[in-house]
Amino acid sequence: MTFPGEVLSNDASTIGDALEHSARTARDKPVDQSDAAAIQAAEVRASGFAHSGGLTAVTQSAANLNARAMGVDNKIKLGEALADASKRLETDKAVTREDAEQVTEAEVRNNPDMLVHPGGVASSITAAARLNQDLSNFWCVTLYWCAYFVSYICMC
């Protein structure tokens, strides 16, 4: 069986890449429950489950500790929790629109303000999905024109 993320080009952005991007763009944001939920959704979308000791466990622990920590300086940041995310995922795959929808839904559902953090997990996954869709569209158009050109030459 082929999953949608496996059909995309080797140049496509993966879930791990997108998580590492959010680690860079929101590196100073303290991990909260909405981040942990979004990361769990991303890990499940990448590998089919959230394995013990994986990114989900790390970020859930960080969110729980941060809820009790006093002062922003004592909280675990997203940049720390998601460092080397692509290496810490059990398996990885190219990000699809469906992945972005699931991750965004998880982040919004677990945020009291029902918002997505700019540059955070859902934003990075969504941006990667859009890039992959653009890349996929580019190759579809390229293949169409190649087929058209070959058929034109064959008619000559």
Side-chain angles (χ1 to χ4, degrees):
M1 180 172 160
T2 303
F3 295 98
E6 295 172 350
V7 189
L8 298 172
S9 160
N10 289 337
D11 296 332
S13 295
T14 66
I15 289 176
D17 294 336
L19 291 174
E20 287 179 0
H21 182 264
S22 66
R24 289 187 298 275
T25 57
R27 70 178 170 272
D28 295 328
K29 178 190 182 299
V31 178
D32 61 22
Q33 290 301 327
S34 66
D35 299 318
I39 291 162
Q40 179 182 17
E43 187 173 22
V44 168
R45 294 294 298 184
S47 62
F49 63 96
H51 64 92
S52 61
L55 289 173
T56 298
V58 169
T59 54
Q60 187 61 56
S61 294
N64 291 340
L65 289 170
N66 286 350
R68 294 187 303 265
M70 301 302 260
V72 176
D73 293 337
N74 297 327
K75 295 187 177 191
I76 300 167
K77 309 296 190 290
L78 206 54
E80 299 165 329
L82 292 178
D84 299 325
S86 59
K87 294 176 187 164
R88 292 170 36 208
L89 284 173
E90 188 75 20
T91 57
D92 205 357
K93 73 175 196 75
V95 183
T96 64
R97 186 182 54 143
E98 293 80 13
D99 300 329
E101 290 170 357
Q102 292 290 313
V103 171
T104 300
E105 181 181 311
E107 186 169 319
V108 169
R109 186 177 56 242
N110 288 277
N111 185 326
D113 298 324
M114 299 198 66
L115 298 172
V116 171
H117 185 272
V121 176
S123 297
S124 295
I125 295 281
T126 300
R130 286 184 182 142
L131 286 172
N132 288 348
Q133 185 62 43
D134 290 345
L135 184 64
S136 178
N137 288 342
F138 168 78
W139 286 113
C140 287
V141 170
T142 302
L143 290 173
Y144 170 80
W145 283 110
C146 286
Y148 176 79
F149 182 69
V150 168
S151 66
Y152 178 77
I153 290 175
C154 291
M155 287 193 293
C156 293

